[in-house]
Amino acid sequence: MGRSKLIRIVDRILDRKHALSRPHADVRSDCGVVSFTFDDFPASALHSGGTILEEAGWHGTYYSCAGLLGSESSVGRIATYDELLECLSRGHEIANHTLSHCDCREASGQQIVAELRDNESALGHLTRNFAFPYGAANVREQRLVQPLVTTARSVLHGVNGADTDRLNLRANPIYSSKGIAPLVEMIRAAAENGGWLILYTHDVVVDPSPFGCSPDEFRAIVAAVAASGMDVATVEQARLRFYLGDATAAGGV
């Protein structure tokens, strides 16, 4: 059900007030921080991507939807609940991505709140970090999720630095379809400037989808980060480091 004209007018007023009052933070550090994240949690993101991270001594953040678990998708088979538990046992973070991979730009406020809360209830092991499905969110969506999350990640490219909005964290794709050379340069620049660089992908397989990468290219990015001397942290670890938000977790983690 779409939003009525009156609701849209009220949203615009609330959005304007929210945009003016929302504080930003400086998340720069001496050597910079990198977070590796995976959207939708295809099984290959753990069995291939997670293994590569672990070989370097690092962990990642997996943005997960309970409604997708075990299903086939354009990025390969989505992890099962047992694989989600395995992911946790291996030291990775599970974060919120809505229950059904809902496009928050098209959903009502009630739907957005229900999607986040129902996903927390269904999975039971989520931190309160969140990534918007399809990556994009307007001020309305950021305002609506604010009481429910500690951070919200978009797909707005760039490095988080002196003027970081915790409800619109910048992130950059590791996609074979786009090539990884620009990311290697971005890693170098982030190390020099001490910013927080968030990377994301989906499947990690030899023949990836347009939204994934090959294991060799993922290893190349991991090697570039290792050579940069930057710290590697999950989104939750970085959030705590930078004092973003006021709650560590939901669901008993």
Side-chain angles (χ1 to χ4, degrees):
M1 181 182 297
R3 291 177 289 144
S4 69
K5 184 176 181 180
L6 176 60
I7 289 175
R8 291 175 185 273
I9 292 171
V10 172
D11 277 340
R12 284 198 292 271
I13 294 170
L14 292 173
D15 289 349
R16 197 170 297 119
K17 179 180 178 182
H18 178 72
L20 291 172
S21 64
R22 194 161 77 211
H24 290 199
D26 188 342
V27 299
R28 293 172 296 177
S29 60
D30 290 342
C31 63
V33 175
V34 177
S35 295
F36 288 90
T37 70
F38 303 90
D39 287 1
D40 305 349
F41 194 179
S44 64
L46 174 63
H47 299 307
S48 183
T51 297
I52 293 168
L53 286 180
E54 291 163 20
E55 288 170 353
W58 303 334
H59 297 96
T61 296
Y62 292 75
Y63 291 102
S64 304
C65 305
L68 300 184
L69 291 179
S71 66
E72 293 295 332
S73 77
S74 61
V75 294
R77 180 178 64 80
I78 302 300
T80 64
Y81 188 73
D82 285 344
E83 286 169 316
L84 184 147
L85 294 179
E86 177 187 348
C87 187
L88 285 168
S89 72
R90 289 165 58 173
H92 301 284
E93 175 188 1
I94 304 295
N96 205 330
H97 203 39
T98 74
L99 180 72
S100 66
H101 204 265
C102 165
D103 188 339
C104 295
R105 294 165 298 181
E106 303 298 326
S108 70
Q110 287 182 326
Q111 288 174 308
I112 292 170
V113 170
E115 283 274 341
L116 268 72
R117 287 182 171 164
D118 290 350
N119 201 41
E120 280 188 358
S121 297
L123 295 181
H125 298 277
L126 299 177
T127 63
R128 295 188 67 211
N129 298 305
F130 173 66
F132 289 102
Y134 308 104
N138 299 314
V139 174
R140 179 191 78 108
E141 291 77 61
Q142 295 163 13
R143 169 174 57 82
L144 288 166
V145 304
Q146 182 173 11
L148 304 172
V149 306
T150 48
T151 68
R153 203 213 74 203
S154 69
V155 292
L156 181 66
H157 293 182
V159 181
N160 301 287
D163 191 32
T164 292
D165 184 346
R166 72 177 178 89
L167 298 178
N168 192 22
L169 294 177
R170 294 173 178 267
N172 307 276
I174 311 174
Y175 288 172
S176 294
S177 59
K178 295 181 178 295
I180 63 170
L183 282 183
V184 174
E185 175 57 27
M186 185 174 284
I187 290 165
R188 184 198 62 77
E192 289 183 358
N193 298 325
W196 179 17
L197 176 63
I198 301 176
L199 305 173
Y200 69 92
T201 193
H202 294 76
D203 48 311
V204 184
V205 294
V206 172
D207 186 19
S209 74
F211 310 106
C213 66
S214 70
D216 285 347
E217 286 179 314
F218 193 75
R219 283 192 180 90
I221 293 299
V222 167
V225 171
S228 75
M230 297 177 76
D231 291 339
V232 174
T234 65
V235 171
E236 178 65 3
Q237 289 167 339
R239 183 195 73 77
L240 290 169
R241 177 171 178 166
F242 298 128
Y243 304 102
L244 300 178
D246 58 3
T248 57
V253 175

